[in-house]
Amino acid sequence: MFREDLIDQIYECSFVGQNWPVLLDELSKSSGAVGGFLFSFDPAVGILRSVTSERFRSHADDYIGGNWIL
């Protein structure tokens, strides 16, 4: 069953964006994942925006650095 506190944290992150890394870490722990990574990419202007849980940061850095999104 999904934890109600995580739903509250998702809503909170829409107002307090710097809380996303903590929430992504909690979501990944509750689902047995290594970590979490959200990104958006606009190929028209080449802008990538992302947020990553601390446990997944090195993987996300490798992913972004390897130009896998392009």
Side-chain angles (χ1 to χ4, degrees), residues 38-57:
L38 295 174
F39 67 91
S40 65
F41 178 67
D42 183 344
V45 292
I47 294 176
L48 170 71
R49 291 183 176 87
S50 67
V51 63
T52 308
S53 66
E54 286 302 318
R55 296 175 358 150
F56 196 70
R57 185 164 312 281

Side-chain angles (χ1 to χ4, degrees), residues 2-45:
F2 198 75
R3 293 177 19 202
E4 293 293 324
D5 64 310
L6 293 178
I7 294 171
D8 293 339
Q9 288 180 43
I10 291 168
Y11 283 114
E12 183 180 320
C13 284
S14 68
F15 295 100
V16 186
Q18 64 265 27
N19 290 350
W20 274 111
V22 173
L23 173 61
L24 290 171
D25 200 39
E26 286 299 315
L27 287 168
S28 64
K29 286 179 190 175
S30 69
S31 65
V34 173
F37 177 40
L38 295 174
F39 67 91
S40 65
F41 178 67
D42 183 344
V45 292

Side-chain angles (χ1 to χ4, degrees), residues 50-70:
S50 67
V51 63
T52 308
S53 66
E54 286 302 318
R55 296 175 358 150
F56 196 70
R57 185 164 312 281
S58 66
H59 299 290
D61 290 344
D62 290 343
Y63 183 79
I64 292 167
N67 291 320
W68 292 99
I69 296 170
L70 305 174

